[in-house]
Amino acid sequence: LGDHLQMSSERHEEAGAGAGAAAPVTPRRLYIARHAERLDRAVEAGGGQWLGVASRPHDPPISPAGRVQAMQMAIHLHQITADVGDPITRIIASPLIRTMQTSDIIAEFLGLGLNSVLPEQGLCEQIISMRSPSAPIFLSPLELSGLFREARVDPTRVSARPVTHVETDGIAVRDLDRMGKGKVNGSDDPEVHYWCEVHPDVDVRAAVGGPAVDAAAAEITALRCGETVDRILAELDRAGGTTLLVCHGASARYVMRHLTQDATATSGTVASIAVLTQSAGGRWTATEMSNSHLSMPPPESPSCAPDADNT
């Protein structure tokens, strides 16, 4: 990914220097988080079944423990933003249920109002991590808005970087045996699926052999995340305020690598948070993704639709 990382850096610098672009506040901060614990992993860890039972196997909500984690994330974000006088004014999140729930709990605690949570397909999970034997279809912003009790999710949001998936004509993209996870959660199911993400510069369907498929899928995710965050930053230059991005492991990792140009940046574990800061010269630096805030005493478990059985 080295060449593409450099190319994406050049596109990022060009986007920031575009005609008419407003000068960003210096130092500008961008907060990035991974969603809280997902329900399917908790169910399977307890000996239950998820695949073959859930109507949207690729799109689990967060678990009861995840709801507590999301509140701990909210408390931590309130504290660190208050310390620098830079409150979060909007949340842009992957449109999958677990990221939207995490975002809604955080937004409620921070007191964010109408249309403050914006679904963004470009921050979605990488295709090899989606547990779906059929097409991984996103819920629309209007559908997502209807799942939550308050009107914080913007039903009119148009993704800055839409994502499309297509069948691969027999090329396995997700294959737990190939990934060395054939017995994940005590199951022998290799969870093979044949869906890939579309990108004009890389075609998974042209890859030959498992390692080439994995490399192409990862390259597409990296490129898409870089394109997404560049477009989001251009949007934020016009809108102002401070933003939290709620992502998945891969999308958080690749957004951080794109902005910091650090190919070793990692995304930590679930419910981790990092702070990215842009200097006057335009360079981004990031704190390490951390979930140390999960060690604080758990707050009362928040109520957040959709309910756990709405899968």
Side-chain angles (χ1 to χ4, degrees):
L1 300 178
D3 291 340
H4 283 291
L5 196 61
Q6 180 60 36
M7 291 168 60
S8 65
S9 174
E10 293 169 357
R11 286 197 293 267
H12 173 60
E13 292 171 1
E14 290 168 2
V25 175
T26 302
R28 178 162 65 170
R29 294 179 182 84
L30 182 69
Y31 297 85
I32 186 165
R34 284 185 63 175
H35 61 79
E37 181 188 75
R38 45 195 282 181
L39 181 63
D40 58 334
R41 302 303 189 199
V43 167
E44 291 172 332
Q49 185 177 3
W50 179 260
L51 295 178
V53 176
S55 60
R56 292 175 60 82
H58 67 289
D59 196 9
I62 58 178
S63 67
R67 297 182 185 218
V68 175
Q69 290 175 350
M71 181 60 79
Q72 291 171 309
M73 295 167 70
I75 294 170
H76 179 64
L77 285 164
H78 173 72
Q79 291 172 339
I80 62 176
T81 55
D83 288 344
V84 294
D86 188 26
I88 291 168
T89 54
R90 74 179 59 77
I91 300 174
I92 302 179
S94 159
L96 294 176
I97 293 294
R98 55 193 181 272
T99 41
M100 295 302 296
Q101 279 186 295
T102 302
S103 300
D104 190 69
I105 291 171
I106 293 171
E108 180 177 18
F109 184 85
L110 297 181
L112 303 188
L114 184 70
N115 298 340
S116 57
V117 178
L118 312 180
E120 173 54 56
Q121 292 184 9
L123 297 177
C124 74
E125 180 63 283
Q126 60 182 345
I127 187 62
I128 64 171
S129 296
M130 290 194 186
R131 311 177 70 186
S132 183
S134 57
I137 297 173
F138 302 117
L139 296 178
S140 71
L142 182 60
E143 290 171 318
L144 289 168
S145 179
L147 289 177
F148 296 90
R149 298 184 181 92
E150 303 294 335
R152 283 183 286 269
V153 178
D154 185 352
T156 67
R157 168 72 178 183
V158 177
S159 286
R161 204 313 192 159
V163 173
T164 301
H165 297 103
V166 297
E167 288 191 87
T168 63
D169 299 323
I171 297 175
V173 175
R174 177 176 172 84
D175 184 339
L176 294 191
D177 280 340
R178 190 177 75 228
M179 297 161 64
K181 299 180 179 180
K183 294 186 182 298
V184 68
N185 299 316
S187 171
D188 292 328
D189 185 354
E191 294 188 23
V192 177
H193 77 53
Y194 302 89
W195 295 93
C196 67
E197 185 177 329
V198 176
H199 193 281
D201 295 339
V202 184
D203 188 355
V204 169
R205 293 166 294 183
V208 178
V213 170
D214 295 341
E219 185 175 12
I220 287 174
T221 306
L223 289 170
R224 179 249 296 168
C225 290
E227 294 159 2
T228 300
V229 75
D230 281 348
R231 296 179 190 183
I232 287 175
L233 289 175
E235 178 182 322
L236 300 182
D237 283 342
R238 296 187 294 271
T242 299
T243 297
L244 166 68
L245 305 181
V246 181
C247 307
H248 306 268
S251 52
R253 178 170 66 251
Y254 287 126
V255 164
M256 292 179 66
R257 289 182 181 183
H258 176 75
L259 290 181
T260 64
Q261 290 302 291
D262 178 2
T264 67
T266 61
S267 52
T269 59
V270 294
S272 292
I273 295 172
V275 184
L276 289 89
T277 305
Q278 186 181 35
S279 69
R283 177 175 292 277
W284 287 92
T285 56
T287 62
E288 183 177 351
M289 288 286 284
S290 171
N291 67 357
S292 60
H293 45 276
L294 300 184
S295 62
M296 69 175 64
E300 288 188 22
S301 181
S303 173
C304 173
D307 293 329
D309 59 355
N310 185 7
T311 60

